[in-house]
Amino acid sequence: GESVGLHLPTLSVQEGDNSIINCAYSNSASDYFIWYKQESGKGPQFIIDIRSNMDKRQGQRVTVLLNKTVKHLSLQIAATQPGDSAVYFCAENIGDKIIFGKGTRLHILP
Amino acid sequence: SQTIHQWPATLVQPVGSPLSLECTVEGTSNPNLYWYRQAAGRGLQLLFYSVGIGQISSEVPQNLSASRPQDRQFILSSKKLLLSDSGFYLCAYRGASAIRTQYFGPGTRLLVL
């Protein structure tokens, strides 16, 4: 669901480790999901998407998992790098609209 | 290739003044267009979206309005700005094809004083 008024939670990960960012969505009618990365002062950038008829999709260093039973989405980033430091948003498609989740700030520890 | 432009990049306006932010898209026809607002350190709030010229859907009642005078132009306006209108305004588009991913512009940072 949408939580635009809340401060963003932070996930701190050691450089080189894998990162897992979680997201809960609210609408069982959502048929398409997207993960975005937003760096400071910039617009969100598309990372990876998944349709509701899939439960896993892999990209370069990223994997998205979808569990429709519990309305849960996760983004896994392999071998996290300093350039991965950003805010990550999940988004769900409902008709013509895409509604964003609350976002998670990923902080990379040296 | 498809690109999306927003201007201005930064804007400082006094309370009570009008606002006009513009967004244009290139390289696609009949896109869906969207305006979002993002407060500092917060998530993205959908304000308006449009599926065609002259068609505007409002998501959040407030003193802002949107217009789509041309297929690839989306304008966000206000007659009188409030302090609470400060934020990062993002325009996004979705192409008319079956691919439903939204792509975002660079954003406009608005500070109302």
Side-chain angles (χ1 to χ4, degrees), chain A residues 77-89:
Chain A
I77 304 174
T80 310
Q81 303 169 359
D84 294 327
S85 180
V87 176
Y88 290 82
F89 291 97

Side-chain angles (χ1 to χ4, degrees), chain A residues 1 16 29 36 38-39 41 44 56 65 69 72-73 75 78 83 92-93:
Chain A
Y36 287 91
Q38 187 178 26
E39 296 175 301
K56 180 180 180 179
L65 299 177
T69 303
H72 183 268
L73 199 64
L75 176 71
E92 56 183 311
N93 180 83

Side-chain angles (χ1 to χ4, degrees), chain A residues 11-15 17-20 80 106-110:
Chain A
L11 173 67
S12 295
V13 175
Q14 204 77 37
E15 182 179 348
D17 287 352
N18 296 336
S19 302
I20 300 176
T80 310
L106 180 63
H107 178 61
I108 312 303
L109 302 169

Side-chain angles (χ1 to χ4, degrees), chain B residues 14-34:
Chain B
V15 169
S17 64
L19 173 74
S20 181
L21 302 181
E22 189 163 344
C23 170
T24 58
V25 180
E26 295 177 0
T28 185
S29 296
N30 195 30
N32 283 6
L33 297 172
Y34 305 83

Side-chain angles (χ1 to χ4, degrees), chain B residues 2-64:
Chain B
Q2 299 168 356
T3 55
I4 178 169
H5 305 279
Q6 282 186 250
W7 63 91
T10 306
L11 190 60
V12 181
Q13 291 285 101
V15 169
S17 64
L19 173 74
S20 181
L21 302 181
E22 189 163 344
C23 170
T24 58
V25 180
E26 295 177 0
T28 185
S29 296
N30 195 30
N32 283 6
L33 297 172
Y34 305 83
W35 277 113
Y36 290 85
R37 177 170 61 200
Q38 185 176 32
R42 301 290 201 272
L44 283 81
Q45 181 183 36
L46 179 61
L47 302 175
F48 301 94
Y49 70 97
S50 171
V51 299
I53 296 175
Q55 301 179 59
I56 307 295
S57 297
S58 174
E59 290 296 298
V60 183
Q62 54 202 317
N63 69 319
L64 297 172

Side-chain angles (χ1 to χ4, degrees), chain A residues 35 48-50 55-57 62-66 73-75:
Chain A
W35 279 100
I48 191 168
D49 58 2
I50 187 168
D55 53 21
K56 180 180 180 179
R57 190 165 186 218
V62 294
T63 301
V64 55
L65 299 177
L66 174 63
L73 199 64
S74 69
L75 176 71

